[in-house]
Amino acid sequence: MDWSGSVAEDVSAPPMRWWGWGDPARAPELPPHALRYLSARLGHQPRASPPVALASARLPRSALAPGALEALRAIVDEGAVRDDHAERVAHAAGRGYPDLVRLRSGELEAAPDAVVLPGSHDQVRRLLELCAERSVAVVPFGGGTSVVGGVAPLRGAHEAVLALDTRRMGEVIDLDPTSLTVDVEGGMRAPALERYLQARALTLGHFPQSFEHVSLGGCVATRSAGQASSGYGSIEKMVLGLRLAAPAGDIELPAVPATAAGPGLRQLLVGSEGTLGVIDRIALRVRPAPRERIYEGFFFTDFGAGVQALRSLAQQHAMPEVARLSDERETRTSLKLAGGGKAKDRLGRAYLGVRGYGDGCLAILGFEGAGRELAERRRRARALVRGGGGLAVGRSPGEAWARSRFTAPYLRDELLTHGILAETLETAAQWSDLGRLHGEVGRAITHALSACGTPGLVMCHVSHLYETGASLYFTFLAPRREEDEIGQWRAVKQAASRAIVGGGGTITHHHAVGRDHAPWMRAEVGAVSLSALRALKRELDPPAIMNPGKLLGD
Ligand SMILES: Cc1cc2nc3c(=O)[nH]c(=O)nc-3n(C[C@H](O)[C@H](O)[C@H](O)COP(=O)(O)OP(=O)(O)OC[C@H]3O[C@@H](n4cnc5c(N)ncnc54)[C@H](O)[C@@H]3O)c2cc1C
């Protein structure tokens, strides 16, 4: 991708591999033993399925009316309107499985007619006015990491569609070290903000697995949750104020610690997924950076015992910052993939077997903080975990997780290259429903894969703890069904979504709604809530140009 151009690019927005995940210069390899294990487990003969060359990705011709590009260029700076092949491909899809399948095959279902990169609030406002006038749909585009079709370039009833990329609006506006708040532009990338804060001994504490690429505006627009959300809270807890540039005008909500001034307007905009306007300024709470991080492993004899132990941590106010519990299959698979049969790992497994934890579940608990407070919280948590049957296995599993916490998306690309489907989906439910839901959703995915003729491996972990419940995060692998890959994915997605909604879970804990979950919104919130949300959209976006087809459906 050519990142040069006459516009001064925001260097804090790193380039993304056009057909997959992450830094194009970084290519973690799937170790041979891992591919052998997974292939045997899936009854799959690895086959090379590399992506096509960028030049052969097929795009529809730009549908922008004559003169539209010039009108856009009159608003933003020189070079900030792009309609070249590479830029349109880069904004044609997010990073869910169907996106990856389409990108890798070069068979894109759609592409934005152009990409605009505004550099200021005033430019965003004028762009929205122009798009309303000319019937052009607008898809706000942050890091482009949506896994639910949130950035799919749908035009709805409009003539054309633009991707409004926020990467040039990536600055810190203000830091208030007394109040511990920071004001940023909506396109600021999470790593750039974290670097800025860490230089001042502060942290936001928001680390989704997609951290390398996400924008803060995108995180806020999707109600994102980071891997340390049990301790720091998800993004909705961090947003104190924001500005939304909507076609009808601006909403500006300043940073306040709390307010009783009517319903929570901030929370109505958090999770609005670009359907109401562009979030171009955000005030966030920050915290002192932890001086110490201790990530450690515990084994439980089974998933149920582990879930009970996590519940006691959440309900007895001994929550670590990071808490994840893998089920039996995820534990077994991750040990196999990590170990590679080394003598030390065989010894470790033998030790677990002797203690009765051989087929058990691994939990990672991560404590962040400093001094006595950290030591005391960790002591209480360890006592609760031990009391719940947990076996402490030291820091190496926790440190291994911390080292590789952002690697999985790169490995997913490798799996696809070897002919293996790898996808994830998630939900959250109350503690009393969690065990049952785990079983029901897992079975639904398993049956759907078998019905496609591609029996697979279904794994799950609990993460993101709350006093009243937690999230379940499923990963499934199966041979790619070459003749109908999207159909295979859709069959599984529908079966899992039915099981989630029928079993008392939410359709999404943190991936958001986008296009993929929109059909489930009625079941999630009910018909009256849905029409109330649609009424809000009509008010803020009368020409209905903002991100058509997402969140609320058509
Ligand atoms: C490998 C991988 C791992 C992931 N892990 C996590 C995880 O741990 N936790 C998690 O919460 N999510 C995760 N996600 C999902 C995704 O990263 C989040 O939804 C993230 O918040 C999206 O941020 P983004 O900047 O990439 O937004 P984009 O993908 O660009 O956009 C997402 C949605 O927000 C809208 N939007 C973007 N910017 C703005 C703006 N400024 N104003 C208004 N609307 C806007 C878009 O129109 C779209 O609807 C993961 C995704 C991948 C691919």
Side-chain angles (χ1 to χ4, degrees):
M1 172 96 25
D2 177 14
W3 289 84
S4 62
S6 47
V7 166
E9 294 289 1
D10 171 20
V11 287
S12 72
M16 165 100 86
R17 181 176 280 121
W18 75 266
W19 51 264
W21 182 252
D23 178 357
R26 190 180 153 204
E29 281 191 6
L30 192 63
H33 76 268
L35 181 60
R36 267 198 311 276
Y37 172 75
L38 290 176
S39 301
R41 180 71 185 66
L42 299 173
H44 167 71
Q45 198 57 41
R47 55 169 196 274
S49 311
V52 299
L54 174 58
S56 44
R58 283 210 287 267
L59 295 182
R61 285 229 329 260
S62 173
L64 276 177
L69 283 177
E70 289 65 33
L72 292 167
R73 287 189 175 118
I75 293 175
V76 292
D77 312 85
E78 173 75 26
V81 179
R82 312 270 174 92
D83 64 347
D84 55 281
H85 183 81
E87 204 64 61
R88 288 180 68 209
V89 171
H91 293 82
R95 287 299 178 269
Y97 182 72
D99 298 318
L100 298 180
V101 167
R102 291 189 179 113
L103 286 167
R104 295 170 66 104
S105 67
E107 301 291 339
L108 299 166
E109 53 172 356
D113 296 297
V115 179
V116 280
L117 295 86
S120 68
H121 171 70
D122 180 53
Q123 291 184 2
V124 171
R125 167 124 308 293
R126 287 166 58 208
L127 282 171
L128 296 187
E129 282 160 15
L130 181 77
C131 289
E133 231 170 70
R134 297 198 173 221
S135 184
V136 176
V138 177
V139 180
F141 196 102
T145 67
S146 168
V147 284
V148 291
V151 291
L154 308 181
R155 66 195 60 210
H158 300 285
E159 318 258 307
V161 55
L162 291 183
L164 187 154
D165 186 320
T166 58
R167 72 181 186 245
R168 288 182 56 232
M169 299 176 70
E171 298 289 328
V172 170
I173 300 167
D174 192 23
L175 175 72
D176 178 346
T178 308
S179 311
L180 288 179
T181 62
V182 68
D183 228 0
V184 301
E185 290 185 297
M188 174 133 217
R189 300 303 152 125
L193 176 59
E194 205 52 44
R195 278 194 300 275
Y196 172 91
L197 292 173
Q198 289 195 359
R200 292 153 181 85
L202 296 169
T203 183
L204 180 63
H206 187 65
F207 301 101
Q209 194 189 45
S210 44
F211 175 74
E212 276 173 87
H213 288 278
V214 292
S215 67
L216 273 313
C219 290
V220 172
T222 55
R223 295 190 97 85
S224 158
Q227 291 169 336
S229 80
S230 296
Y232 292 93
S234 51
I235 199 87
E236 78 215 45
K237 302 274 186 243
M238 301 172 185
V239 175
L240 302 169
L242 48 74
R243 180 173 60 203
L244 178 89
D250 292 344
I251 294 188
E252 216 158 342
L253 301 167
V256 284
T259 168
L265 276 172
R266 288 165 186 76
Q267 289 303 323
L268 208 53
L269 304 182
V270 174
S272 55
E273 301 192 26
T275 61
L276 302 178
V278 180
I279 298 167
D280 62 11
R281 182 169 177 161
I282 312 159
L284 296 156
R285 162 203 96 186
V286 298
R287 291 199 173 151
R291 287 206 294 277
E292 226 182 318
R293 289 189 171 86
I294 302 174
Y295 297 152
E296 55 195 332
F298 296 85
F299 259 84
F300 293 92
T301 49
D302 57 58
F303 188 60
V307 168
Q308 292 314 320
L310 294 193
R311 179 169 70 85
S312 70
L313 291 177
Q315 293 180 337
Q316 297 189 44
H317 306 289
M319 201 111 87
E321 274 62 31
V322 176
R324 332 166 33 97
L325 168 73
S326 295
D327 68 4
E328 288 83 351
R329 273 203 208 94
E330 189 172 282
T331 301
R332 201 158 46 240
T333 307
S334 48
L335 291 180
K336 290 271 188 205
L337 299 192
K342 286 185 208 127
K344 196 168 141 239
D345 297 298
R346 283 202 298 275
L347 246 170
R349 281 203 288 277
Y351 170 77
L352 288 172
V354 169
R355 305 284 302 260
Y357 291 81
D359 296 319
C361 297
L362 175 65
I364 303 294
L365 303 185
F367 300 87
E368 303 190 356
R372 294 241 308 264
E373 183 279 327
L374 174 66
E376 176 54 20
R377 194 156 44 91
R378 180 168 167 245
R379 189 195 60 71
R380 286 194 55 231
R382 286 172 65 92
L384 284 169
V385 166
R386 284 211 179 96
L391 174 73
V393 291
R395 297 195 189 187
S396 61
E399 285 162 5
W401 173 80
R403 269 195 310 276
S404 61
R405 62 195 284 190
F406 303 122
T407 308
Y410 289 94
L411 296 181
R412 178 173 67 157
D413 282 345
E414 282 296 290
L415 288 170
L416 263 76
T417 294
H418 289 95
I420 296 175
L421 173 167
E423 175 64 320
T424 62
L425 55 88
E426 38 77 64
T427 179
Q430 309 220 110
W431 289 113
S432 49
D433 293 327
L434 213 65
R436 180 180 46 76
L437 197 62
H438 169 250
E440 288 172 3
V441 178
R443 279 191 294 279
I445 300 173
T446 305
H447 291 155
L449 284 170
S450 296
C452 291
T454 51
L457 172 60
V458 183
M459 308 172 275
C460 182
H461 65 252
V462 173
S463 52
H464 311 287
L465 310 188
Y466 304 88
E467 280 178 52
T468 58
S471 118
L472 289 171
Y473 188 90
F474 291 87
T475 302
F476 53 97
L477 307 178
R480 289 173 66 178
R481 190 176 174 212
E482 263 173 281
E483 60 281 17
D484 183 14
E485 299 196 63
I486 305 284
Q488 177 192 26
W489 169 84
R490 190 170 290 122
V492 178
K493 184 76 184 169
Q494 275 176 0
S497 300
R498 256 196 309 276
I500 286 171
V501 168
T506 171
I507 193 65
T508 174
H509 169 262
H510 59 263
H511 280 170
V513 177
R515 172 168 67 174
D516 299 346
H517 293 144
W520 302 93
M521 275 298 276
R522 183 178 290 263
E524 176 86 19
V525 300
V528 176
S529 314
L530 203 52
S531 48
L533 286 175
R534 288 192 172 130
L536 177 67
K537 178 167 172 73
R538 278 196 299 278
E539 195 59 36
L540 292 179
D541 178 22
I545 53 172
M546 297 308 307
N547 216 3
K550 320 296 165 46
L551 179 59
L552 306 170
D554 295 324

